[in-house]
Amino acid sequence: MSEFTYDLIIVGGGIPGLTLACGLRESGLRVAVIEAQPEDRVDDRPRAYALSPLSAKVFRSVGVWEQIAPGICHFPQVLLSDADYAHKIAFVPEDIGEPAVYYCAEHNVLQAALRHRASLDAHITCYYGARVQDITYGKFAAEAIVETQRGQLRLSAPLVVAADGARSRIRQQAGIETDGWNYWQSCITAFVSPEASHQNIAHERFWPDGPFAVLPLPDNRCQIVWVAPHEEAKALVALPREEFMAEMQKRYGDGYGSLTLLGEPLVFPASLMHSRKYYQSRLALLADAAHHCHPVGGQGLNLGLRDAAALAKVLSTAAQKQQDLGDVRVLRRYGRRRRLENWVMLMFTDILNRTFSNRWLPMLVARRLVLRVGIAVSPIRRLMLHLMTGFWGTHPYPLERLEPTLAANANEAQRDRPEPGTLVGSSESGRGSR
């Protein structure tokens, strides 16, 4: 069995895990990333994400913004409405002083850029197609037994970071408990193309059965995020495609013409989960391993990226001071603050969904009054947007250090962007010390 020693082991090579690894690139820390999927399949996920301006700043700070810029969509407006109610809140960039209200990017664009960035760093080793068999947490280090295509490895480091999703085996094996609940709703996602230009305008429409979001993408495509009660969602995706699209068109509206379905719709149940703690000796939880929220408002990945940025800053500072990365006194600086801020956002998404997903007349009157106030009173509208984008909380990065403008870098980024199907990123390379 080969043995390697690192400063940090990240279990989960998805977007949050790689963001943490790339965020440590100037720290000199030796990082191992363990990803269960093979390298040629890790980008293959039919999913797009709404990205807040703060998430864009995180990507700038970790050095991938130039590469992803040509493949993302910038929202000059986000329109929030209650079903077919005529009055809509229009969020615009001036409300938060940013170039765009929100952005949207597909999974493969973000994942490929982060893999490529990690492959350029001699301090980052990525093990793809690898699974953690066991972790032992000792007084001075954690030791992980990892099964790879070439045999077993024994990796040791002062700290393990669990970034292995909402059903995190690392979290469960460590005995960290969670709180939460399953919603009465499921989420349908699908890619479509409207007949007329979507003009990069995003929509969040609240229907009594659940929210319906339209996230514009390049090439006049959109991702639909359609929330409905479980049985209704199952029945919808089981319809013949023409009937399914007719039901979608009712919620999308006729303002952009007819819709063309670009792939098979997916459906998954909505739930909320929050870990009772984000850390213990030698272990920290990251992103979905620590929390999971309702899809309304597109907060999931944004919270995980802020986790990654906050933890990267804490670990970089600890390394500069030659502190033990796995000590609870170090991890407390990350866990306490992020847990509180994430709890606020989880409750915000829960209240937002419950407030709008019902037909109770007093609630209907109240929420439409709030919409009217948000339209008329700009400070209220700005406050709502600051909450949704994360600017109300702490800013975990020295974000000003790497913030090139999109206009200055779009052409270069387009040249550097991998061709479809190109394999980039590091694979098993043994850059740790034996």
Side-chain angles (χ1 to χ4, degrees), residues 357-404:
S357 298
N358 65 77
R359 294 178 171 84
W360 190 41
L361 184 58
M363 187 65 73
L364 174 67
V365 173
R367 70 195 187 214
R368 292 188 172 179
L369 177 61
V370 170
L371 285 177
R372 296 289 292 271
V373 171
I375 295 169
V377 183
S378 57
I380 298 296
R381 186 174 65 251
R382 294 192 197 103
L383 179 63
M384 294 170 63
L385 190 55
H386 273 74
L387 179 62
M388 290 189 293
T389 54
F391 281 109
W392 65 276
T394 55
H395 297 187
Y397 257 96
L399 297 170
E400 69 280 356
R401 72 180 180 181
L402 284 173
E403 290 199 14

Side-chain angles (χ1 to χ4, degrees), residues 325-377:
L325 301 185
D327 192 291
V328 292
R329 290 169 293 185
V330 171
L331 299 177
R332 184 181 298 124
R333 303 167 198 161
Y334 158 74
R336 285 186 172 178
R337 178 171 293 173
R338 286 306 303 153
R339 190 174 188 279
L340 174 61
E341 293 188 7
N342 288 334
W343 180 85
V344 171
M345 293 309 301
L346 264 61
M347 291 302 100
F348 171 74
T349 60
D350 183 72
I351 293 170
L352 191 63
N353 180 56
R354 294 180 188 276
T355 299
F356 281 89
S357 298
N358 65 77
R359 294 178 171 84
W360 190 41
L361 184 58
M363 187 65 73
L364 174 67
V365 173
R367 70 195 187 214
R368 292 188 172 179
L369 177 61
V370 170
L371 285 177
R372 296 289 292 271
V373 171
I375 295 169
V377 183

Side-chain angles (χ1 to χ4, degrees), residues 4-170:
F4 298 95
T5 300
Y6 295 92
D7 298 303
L8 174 67
I9 298 171
I10 302 172
V11 182
I15 294 171
L18 286 179
T19 298
L20 172 59
C22 294
L24 293 168
R25 71 193 189 284
E26 295 181 0
S27 68
L29 295 173
R30 296 163 299 168
V31 180
V33 180
I34 303 170
E35 170 54 43
Q37 293 189 75
E39 187 173 9
D40 60 355
R41 289 175 50 194
V42 72
D43 299 351
D44 187 19
R45 188 180 185 191
R47 183 80 180 272
Y49 308 100
L51 300 174
S52 76
L54 189 55
S55 294
K57 291 178 183 291
V58 172
F59 283 133
R60 289 185 181 107
S61 291
V62 303
V64 299
W65 181 252
E66 300 92 330
Q67 189 173 356
I68 69 175
I72 66 176
C73 191
H74 302 60
F75 300 167
Q77 271 192 334
V78 175
L79 299 179
L80 188 151
S81 59
D82 186 10
D84 53 2
Y85 188 52
H87 299 279
K88 302 177 182 180
I89 294 181
F91 298 106
V92 295
E94 290 76 17
D95 290 330
I96 48 175
E98 292 292 328
V101 186
Y102 254 81
Y103 304 87
C104 190
E106 290 174 271
H107 176 85
N108 64 331
V109 172
L110 301 179
Q111 184 77 29
L114 288 164
R115 282 198 306 110
H116 179 63
R117 186 68 188 83
S119 73
L120 301 178
D121 195 314
H123 293 95
I124 301 174
T125 304
C126 294
Y127 297 91
Y128 291 100
R131 293 183 179 274
V132 175
Q133 301 299 310
D134 184 50
I135 299 181
T136 303
Y137 301 95
K139 184 176 181 180
F140 300 106
E143 186 177 274
I145 304 301
V146 181
E147 187 71 39
T148 74
Q149 296 173 347
R150 300 180 184 179
Q152 282 194 338
L153 302 177
R154 179 181 285 112
L155 310 182
S156 62
L159 176 64
V160 172
V161 175
D164 54 339
R167 298 179 181 178
S168 170
R169 289 180 63 247
I170 307 302

Side-chain angles (χ1 to χ4, degrees), residues 80-337:
L80 188 151
S81 59
D82 186 10
D84 53 2
Y85 188 52
H87 299 279
K88 302 177 182 180
I89 294 181
F91 298 106
V92 295
E94 290 76 17
D95 290 330
I96 48 175
E98 292 292 328
V101 186
Y102 254 81
Y103 304 87
C104 190
E106 290 174 271
H107 176 85
N108 64 331
V109 172
L110 301 179
Q111 184 77 29
L114 288 164
R115 282 198 306 110
H116 179 63
R117 186 68 188 83
S119 73
L120 301 178
D121 195 314
H123 293 95
I124 301 174
T125 304
C126 294
Y127 297 91
Y128 291 100
R131 293 183 179 274
V132 175
Q133 301 299 310
D134 184 50
I135 299 181
T136 303
Y137 301 95
K139 184 176 181 180
F140 300 106
E143 186 177 274
I145 304 301
V146 181
E147 187 71 39
T148 74
Q149 296 173 347
R150 300 180 184 179
Q152 282 194 338
L153 302 177
R154 179 181 285 112
L155 310 182
S156 62
L159 176 64
V160 172
V161 175
D164 54 339
R167 298 179 181 178
S168 170
R169 289 180 63 247
I170 307 302
R171 182 195 68 230
Q172 295 176 31
Q173 292 172 357
I176 297 178
E177 297 181 343
T178 64
D179 297 305
W181 50 81
N182 295 321
Y183 288 97
W184 67 97
Q185 301 160 313
S186 287
C187 180
I188 302 169
T189 61
F191 289 94
V192 303
S193 178
E195 184 178 10
S197 171
H198 56 47
Q199 301 176 50
N200 295 354
I201 297 175
H203 298 263
E204 183 87 60
R205 298 188 177 115
F206 293 97
W207 295 91
D209 290 337
F212 182 91
V214 180
L215 304 177
L217 287 165
D219 303 320
N220 204 44
R221 296 173 299 129
C222 301
Q223 177 174 265
I224 301 300
V225 182
W226 180 0
V227 178
H230 295 309
E231 295 306 316
E232 181 181 337
K234 292 178 184 178
L236 284 167
V237 296
L239 288 172
R241 286 298 164 252
E242 288 186 3
E243 295 181 28
F244 174 78
M245 292 305 295
E247 291 296 324
M248 182 186 292
Q249 190 84 55
K250 293 177 184 178
R251 291 161 177 80
Y252 194 107
D254 297 323
Y256 296 94
S258 61
L259 302 175
T260 301
L261 185 65
L262 301 178
E264 289 299 308
L266 303 176
V267 60
F268 55 90
S271 63
L272 183 146
M273 181 275 291
H274 203 204
S275 298
R276 293 186 179 179
K277 57 182 179 180
Y278 280 22
Y279 65 92
Q280 60 189 30
S281 180
R282 308 286 159 215
L283 175 65
L285 306 184
L286 184 74
D288 281 356
H291 50 80
H292 185 72
C293 64
H294 193 281
V296 64
Q299 294 298 315
L301 181 61
N302 292 292
L303 299 182
L305 292 173
R306 295 202 283 275
D307 289 348
L311 185 55
K313 186 172 183 179
V314 166
L315 296 180
S316 295
T317 301
Q320 291 173 0
K321 297 180 179 180
Q322 297 184 330
Q323 296 173 333
D324 182 354
L325 301 185
D327 192 291
V328 292
R329 290 169 293 185
V330 171
L331 299 177
R332 184 181 298 124
R333 303 167 198 161
Y334 158 74
R336 285 186 172 178
R337 178 171 293 173

